[in-house]
Amino acid sequence: MTFLCVQQKRRVSMGIFLFKEIGVSLKALRFVPSSLQVFHPHQESNANRRWALCLLGLVILCLAFAGCRAKEETLPIDLTEMLVYTEDASRAKSADMNRLEAIGGNVGEESPLWPVYTFLLGEVRRLRGEIREAEICFEKIVSWSAADSSREKWGGSGLAGVALWRLLQLRNSDPRLEARDVSRLLSSADKVLKARLARGMFRLPVLESLPMLEEDIKRQSALLAERSGMPKEAQRFFLDYLAVARAVDLSKSEKTLLQGLVASGMASEDHVALLRGRRLYELRRYSDAAKFLEEARKGENLQVRAEATFYLAMMKSSYKEAHREEKLAWLSEVADSAHDPDLAQNALYSMGRALRVKGEKSLSLKAFERILTDFPLGSRADDALYELAQEYHYSGEVDRSLQRYEELRNFKGRSDFASYSGMDPAMMLYGRNGEEGREAAQALLQDLERRVPEGPYHLNALFWMGRIAADRGDHRRAQEYFKKVIETSPFDYYALRARMHLRMGNRASQSLLPDEETRKELRSLYNGSRHEVHLSGRSAYHLRLKAALDTGLYRAVYGAYQRLRERIPAKRLEDLTVEELEQSGLFPQVSVLLALRQDAFAAAESLDDRDDIAANYLEISDKVGQAGDLPLSMSIIIEGRDIPEKSRNEQRAAMERRAFYLATAYPPCFRNEILAAATQQAGAGDQVSPELVYSILRRESLFCSTALSKAGALGLFQFIPSTFDSLNARWDLLLESGAPSRETFLLSPTLSISLGVRWFNEELLPHHDGHVLFALMEHNAGLGNVLQWKRYWKDLGRLEDVEYIIETIRARETRLFTRRTVADLMVVDAIGLFKD
């Protein structure tokens, strides 16, 4: 492994180069060329000195400039060599520490890779048993992050959170503690836990994270404060820990902390039980949660009892008759007794939904109506109005539904349904044909654009106003709407449909895939988007990410993450214990990956201009995708991370307007596996296209072969255990493939894709006479729902209107999945990803 010279050497070599360039030597400083001797003899000596001083000043300036440029242009240090030494103690002890220290000589605190180097060095020293030296490394990172020299509250690096955890671990095992050091460390812990990059390491809704570290930091902080005679700090940290803890049993020291917490009056026993039960409920560990919630329900505090009862009710299934009655009784109790208005409304709302499942329509409607009567501007009033509007809509009571939608549009409280209240009734009116229905729908869509300009339904509204204008014969106006959609977000579903309408007219509504001219246009745009992409940003996050990508560090730590997922396939990263992470030997490398992912988000979001942010996100997406991290690449483009939906839509639209969007958003991955599966499964019946398979993988798993959802869906195609077991019982999948387990089978890209193709060909497509759209919907929502929805569209005479069907799928999750997957299918089919 070759490492670069230090920056000072580069400055010297640059200085020599500049000397040669300007024709200056030490001799020239003493003697001015004769051609320049224009002074009188008695002035020559002074003139020579002045001339020499001028040249010397110029050289010094050039050297200074060269030094600055050298610092900026110094190639990054390669840290991949250090990774192997962090896997276990024997490898750490084999490390040449002089060599590692020499690397550190080139990585000053101002270097982008300094936190990565310092963290890895700390891990190596810890494994070697050099505890004090390891502590120094971790303490440097924690102090640096807590100081937040950039003043932007990002915290420098996500590795600060991991370093804090390590430091607390080591300090708690140190018998010699000084209270002054502990106080300073706990103060830093508060700051690091609030820093955005550290929080992202612990809580990231799209990609995986390390919440167990946040829990342990709070637990370790409490124990450390208790040992150091700081009871109030200990109780504060321990209460925070209990709110996020996954452990059921407490150690002897933790029980002592709990006793002190209750004795201090900071929390009662029933409140603690509620905290722990609620946390376990959130983790879907219902049997463990029930124990604590039952304990909380026996307490004296009425509010705690009501909240515990609510969570116990929510764990009961609405679809099992034996559970449903108890659930309804508990929810009714909470609705009548809760002092917290939000809790009472949540109970009534859940009652209404459970009663609807039971088939008690009138009682269901009464529960929603009671929310509006008792809490007219409450937190659930908008949900109640929407449920009532939907129920009347699908039961054919159009006028009552329109009335509720109007109330929702005029709602004075906080509402999550500002866009739905215009879009849904517009589609209901449009679906019933006739000029009157179209006119009313147009008015609602125009009102939606006025009330929520550039909102999440902006493109929907523009597109359907275009369709209505075309239906009414106003083709000029229709073209204006369609072109506006394309201009705003060129490759969104609505823009793709708009392109088809501009060429095909109303015939486009009955075609799932683009016409030939639209295909050619998209293919041309795709070919024009394929060019070399560079990270253009200059923030510390850009530079760190660029260094990790250029040296292969990013690819190496992503490979470690993949190995960890393959070793423990049945658990998500956040479900692992600290012990499992440690035993894997890959924890430090996975930590570096997650920190670099945080840098990727920070890099783009550190900019101000929306278009610059979009360009940066695309550049980052392209680069990390090339390094193998397709999940991050696709999540940047598809999910838009955890930002508000309006901003997310704007960000996605801005990305689509960049010239290199298509090639970045649709990488040619898993082509061989998809084509092989399609060929292997080819037969006389219905055949799923490679383009559809690709589109499903892109949406279901972000092309992550080890993806594991919270519901247990595993692999590229995201088969849940019950579905796989059912198919295995019929098709002998494990026996036929030789795979030893369900997890091994689904983690194999080849086997997962092959099963997905077979499932579509032999199950889903035959259910719907080969109709791809309905098969796709069944994949997401199940056969029963799709059959019910098909009856609704048939009654409206809309069973051939592809666009209306997609727009009015009743389940929002299925509607979004279907619309987005169809958009991907249209693009992939047009650009010929599987035809070259």
Side-chain angles (χ1 to χ4, degrees), residues 539-574:
S539 72
Y541 312 111
H542 285 96
L543 296 178
R544 186 181 303 142
L545 189 62
K546 187 176 187 302
L549 290 165
D550 289 348
T551 60
L553 176 66
Y554 197 109
R555 183 177 289 277
V557 293
Y558 183 72
Y561 164 77
Q562 290 285 79
R563 296 200 304 277
L564 176 64
R565 296 295 302 110
E566 289 165 2
R567 289 180 192 177
I568 315 176
K571 284 188 176 182
R572 289 169 58 84
L573 187 59
E574 49 260 48

Side-chain angles (χ1 to χ4, degrees), residues 440-487:
Q442 181 84 356
L444 283 170
L445 294 172
Q446 289 172 341
D447 176 67
L448 173 60
E449 282 292 278
R450 178 188 58 78
R451 288 185 299 108
V452 195
E454 306 295 327
Y457 276 56
H458 176 54
L459 296 178
N460 314 45
L462 288 177
F463 173 80
W464 283 98
M465 285 193 286
R467 261 200 65 167
I468 292 170
D471 289 344
R472 301 171 76 177
D474 190 348
H475 299 294
R476 181 190 63 79
R477 193 65 183 274
Q479 288 188 2
E480 289 177 359
Y481 283 126
F482 291 143
K483 288 178 180 179
K484 179 64 175 175
V485 174
I486 297 169
E487 177 188 332

Side-chain angles (χ1 to χ4, degrees), residues 235 242 256-270 272:
Q235 291 159 13
L242 291 175
T256 301
L257 277 170
L258 178 58
Q259 290 170 0
L261 180 66
V262 174
S264 72
M266 188 176 288
S268 61
E269 290 184 358
D270 54 354
V272 169

Side-chain angles (χ1 to χ4, degrees), residues 351-385:
M351 275 181 64
R353 292 175 67 90
L355 287 164
R356 184 170 63 204
V357 171
K358 186 181 178 182
E360 299 279 359
K361 178 183 172 181
S362 61
L363 292 177
S364 172
L365 295 177
K366 283 181 180 179
F368 295 131
E369 292 282 6
R370 182 177 164 187
I371 295 175
L372 298 176
T373 301
D374 295 351
F375 311 97
L377 295 177
S379 60
R380 281 292 195 176
D382 59 329
D383 297 273
L385 280 170

Side-chain angles (χ1 to χ4, degrees), residues 22 28 30 34 157 345 359 361 389 397 423 493 560 572 580 685 712 731 739 744 796 803 836:
I22 63 176
R30 296 178 58 190
S34 59
S157 169
Q345 291 173 78
K361 178 183 172 181
E397 299 178 72
M423 192 72 207
Y493 164 82
R572 289 169 58 84
E580 287 173 319
W731 295 340
T744 304
L796 293 177
E803 293 163 352
D836 291 339

